[in-house]
Amino acid sequence: MFERVLASVYGAILSSQSHESINEISSFILSNIFAKEEVYPNVLVRDFARNIIEYANSHNLVGFSESELKLARPSYKSVFPKTIPSNEDIDNEYANDYEDKTIPKHRFAQDKIIDSMTTEYGRGTGWYGDFGRYVFQSNFSNWSNINIDKLSNYAVEIIFGAVVDKD
């Protein structure tokens, strides 16, 4: 939800002719998102927030120092989760049990997302999703020492909103 607010603020700033509050907005974002021990762990929140600050800076609408601007630029301080869900965890929490008629119908759509997010060997040989293999997994091809299958499961958890953003 916070990402949508920042997306709206960013859109308003870009389309507005008046910039009288941009210094206040940028200062709020810098101190409440980037100047923390752990930067808000949501890529869209960080992206919209950074774009607001960068826009204000590039148009000389704020007077941030280089050290303040550096706070809003990657790499960020964020903590990786201590546990990442297994396939079984994802299936138990989100997959449809077609025998149980009490499970809501939206679980059918969730199954499609789970299937699509499956990496090349995430659920055995030959069962992968196009997005999981060709988009998600390929973007991590240059990384080493990561478990792409579990990372995909973590992404599924985020997609379904199980991972609550930290304030």
Side-chain angles (χ1 to χ4, degrees), residues 84-104:
I84 298 178
S86 66
N87 288 343
E88 185 177 85
D89 295 334
I90 292 296
D91 291 346
N92 288 339
E93 186 67 28
Y94 305 110
N96 198 350
D97 177 357
Y98 292 98
E99 303 298 317
D100 185 349
K101 301 301 181 197
T102 65
I103 293 179

Side-chain angles (χ1 to χ4, degrees), residues 10 13 22 31 45 56 78 86 106 109 123-124 157 164-166:
Y10 183 49
I13 288 170
I22 198 164
S31 62
V45 167
S78 295
S86 66
H106 71 269
R123 293 182 177 265
E157 236 183 17
V164 179
D165 290 333
K166 297 177 184 177

Side-chain angles (χ1 to χ4, degrees), residues 31-79:
S31 62
N32 289 286
I33 294 176
F34 297 113
K36 298 282 186 180
E37 189 173 317
E38 180 184 3
V39 175
Y40 203 87
N42 179 310
V43 69
L44 291 176
V45 167
R46 293 187 301 208
D47 193 47
F48 288 126
R50 177 182 177 207
N51 284 334
I52 292 167
I53 289 172
E54 294 289 1
Y55 177 85
N57 181 58
S58 69
H59 288 82
N60 298 314
L61 301 171
V62 294
F64 291 134
S65 68
E66 276 304 311
S67 62
E68 289 173 314
L69 290 171
K70 188 176 178 180
L71 291 173
R73 295 175 176 153
S75 61
Y76 301 113
K77 302 172 288 188
S78 295
V79 177

Side-chain angles (χ1 to χ4, degrees), residues 117-122 127-128 132-133 136-137 148-149 152:
M117 281 297 296
T118 302
T119 56
E120 186 172 9
Y121 299 111
W127 180 21
Y128 57 84
R133 180 177 183 190
F136 186 82
Q137 184 173 350
I148 193 67
D149 305 324
S152 173

